[in-house]
Amino acid sequence: MRVAVFGAGYVGLVTGACFAELGHHVVVRDVLTEKIDALRQGEVPIHEEGLAELLEKNRERLSFTTEVEEALSEADVVYVAVGTPPTHSGDADLTAVWTVIDELPRVARRIVLAMKSTVPVGTGRAVRHRLGERGLENVGYVSNPEFTAEGTAVNDFLNPDRIVIGSFDPADGDVVAELHKDIDAPILRSDVNSAEMIKLAANAFLMTRISFINEIANVCEATGADVVKVAEGVGLDRRLGPHFLRAGIGYGGSCFPKDSLALKQLASNSGYHFQLLAAVIEVNELQKRRVVGKLERRLGSLRGKRIALLGLAFKPGTDDMREAPSLVLAGRLQAEGAEVSAWDPVADPTGQLDGVAIAGSALEALEGADAAVIVTEWPELRDLDWAEAGARMRNRLVVDGRNMLDPATLRAHGFEYEGIGRAVN
Ligand code: UDX
């Protein structure tokens, strides 16, 4: 089949590369000329496991353009994979989505518009209406949300838990189902509103689990239990399962923070105060800041203290720093008068961390530091020469925001170690 993908960001590129891998012919369209030029030359603008290989392997079925007409000339399905960032009110900003809809030219044949971007419930209905106003009755509409996580997006796309297809006309849903026929996963067919809500609800549920385990961690600290063991014991209950129970310094990224706000706002706009979700968001905000209190309890005032942030990306396996806890933490530490150094193996913080000394290696970031904070659980940090790290630091203190290090090993190297929700000895 022939697929056009509008938007060459994380979601659009992964969608395009994976459909090409499934044997479809794909044109990826973006408004940014430099991005399209780079992609044409075989450069991949983002760090995503397996993506570069897939783009290279399927070159003959993939092309890139800035032209709407070129992207649409033969397409059976047009995917919308543009950004939907939050506005000041917390609603999703659908400007880029509407631009795509308004740019669609009249086509003689039937095509299906498939929404991959995360949008509020009711968007499909509004798009359907706008297409009607523009006389584009032969453009079908399907909601086909993505559930891919950064770092594992290619694998998540090709081996999903489920494929959700919401349509107004079942025949349009059939076309999108056909695109996925070589993927071995259950397909859930629904109305458009429900498909839109499935995406928002799934994300909100995952965030609820994270904030829940983070609060359990905070109570563990107050009572002397170890959240790592607690999560293991809780997760063995088949009704609960082990996933998304890693306590830490809070979730970040391009999806969770914006999608939770958008769902909360969507509920408010419809006259419902979503109390649980509001609490999930607040717990997450406080969780990022708790590290500062931990450092102060050990070091006293942070004025003039040097704190090394190890990891800047919102999670390992990606260079993405959108809504990363590192940004909040760096800002809070600087506000307390600390000097902040930082290291990340792939994220490029240029322009995002004013006044932070960016180091070329973790050891360099630790030079003269009074404390190290593990912000992102990069595997490199587990393998770090902690004896050497201790020798370089002014004071041997590690606050492990991801509970990734072995406390006994650190203590053997003379460190004070504090995790999240772990008994402090
Ligand atoms: C998420 C969803 O998983 C995905 O389905 C959706 O399409 C987009 O949003 P992503 O943001 O890429 O994907 O990453 P994910 O692995 O889900 O992690 C999100 C954040 O939660 C990270 O900051 C991570 O560190 C944090 N997290 C995750 C925890 O703090 N604890 C956990 O147990 C799991």
Side-chain angles (χ1 to χ4, degrees), residues 76-104:
D76 303 300
V77 182
V78 179
Y79 266 92
V80 181
V82 295
T84 53
T87 61
H88 291 300
S89 59
D91 293 282
D93 181 352
L94 297 181
T95 310
V97 171
W98 289 119
T99 303
V100 174
I101 309 302
D102 292 338
E103 280 176 349
L104 282 183

Side-chain angles (χ1 to χ4, degrees), residues 11 14 146-150 152-158 199 255:
V11 174
V14 169
E146 56 89 16
F147 300 98
T148 54
E150 285 178 27
T152 54
V154 168
N155 186 50
D156 293 344
F157 192 100
L158 295 171
K199 163 72 189 196
C255 285

